[in-house]
Amino acid sequence: MTAEILRALDADLVQQDEEQLTPDAYKEVFRRHPAGVAVVTLTDGDRLVGFTATSVISVSAAPPLLAFSLASTSSSWPAVSQARTLAISFLSGAQDDVSARFATSGIDRFAAGGWTALPTGEPVIEGAVSWVRGRVVQRTPVGGSYLVSVRALAHGTTDEVTPLVYHDRTYHRIGDATAI
């Protein structure tokens, strides 16, 4: 059934004759849209996998579902494509260095520390505003990416209330001074 739905969506997209945004124009739009910054982490056998995500969204409170997108070309995709569970840490305003580290390719993103393994094995980022451990329930191919849907199973929060936000290629801290 899912394959039929995706084929119908692909056929719909091919048949549309409207002009569409170029990739550069599309990126320009989303550079102006602020996004919270999170780090998605999981285990792949004995290997730890993690990456920065600004695409995390709340989908539903009942049942508790969230989602994020990940490019099919990402070095993390093979692990995510097989993962049963993972953790999502929502970074604090003081963790721009953590975000940058988990966005950097070709390095051991966990070597600098700053994380703790949950009893179930998933790493969470220390000092994050909050984290969610979840079970992957769906991986939906959309364009050149996958929308990964996750059912929230457990969570943790800290007293830290200043989240990290990414806007126009720059990190920002939201705090009392920015409230309207």
Side-chain angles (χ1 to χ4, degrees):
M1 180 74 162
T2 301
E4 289 176 21
I5 293 169
L6 292 175
R7 278 194 293 278
L9 175 62
D10 285 343
D12 249 2
L13 291 173
V14 168
Q15 291 177 5
Q16 293 175 1
D17 59 357
E18 302 99 0
E19 282 191 41
Q20 64 182 15
L21 293 178
T22 64
D24 286 340
Y26 184 79
K27 290 175 185 177
E28 181 180 1
V29 168
F30 276 89
R31 275 196 297 272
R32 287 166 173 74
H33 178 69
V37 183
V39 169
V40 178
T41 53
L42 56 139
T43 58
D44 183 24
D46 292 335
R47 186 174 72 101
L48 298 176
V49 176
F51 55 92
T52 298
T54 57
S55 61
V56 179
I57 59 169
S58 169
V59 175
S60 167
L65 297 170
L66 59 154
F68 62 89
S69 64
L70 181 64
S72 60
T73 56
S74 166
S75 62
S76 299
W77 172 245
V80 172
S81 74
Q82 300 297 312
R84 294 185 63 213
T85 61
L86 49 77
I88 302 169
S89 298
F90 297 90
L91 299 185
S92 80
Q95 294 181 306
D96 52 301
D97 60 326
V98 175
S99 175
R101 177 172 23 122
F102 278 85
T104 302
S105 297
I107 64 166
D108 179 351
R109 298 168 179 163
F110 294 89
W115 59 274
T116 303
L118 295 172
T120 50
E122 301 88 356
V124 294
I125 304 300
E126 295 170 351
V129 171
S130 58
W131 58 265
V132 171
R133 176 183 175 265
R135 178 165 310 284
V136 176
V137 294
Q138 194 170 31
R139 298 168 187 89
T140 307
V142 182
S145 296
Y146 283 87
L147 183 65
V148 180
S149 301
V150 178
R151 181 170 44 105
L153 303 175
H155 80 289
T157 60
T158 65
D159 291 335
E160 177 61 54
V161 294
T162 304
L164 184 63
V165 174
Y166 195 69
H167 176 255
D168 200 15
R169 301 181 190 175
T170 306
Y171 292 111
H172 297 266
R173 293 174 182 89
I174 296 179
D176 292 340
T178 61
I180 296 175

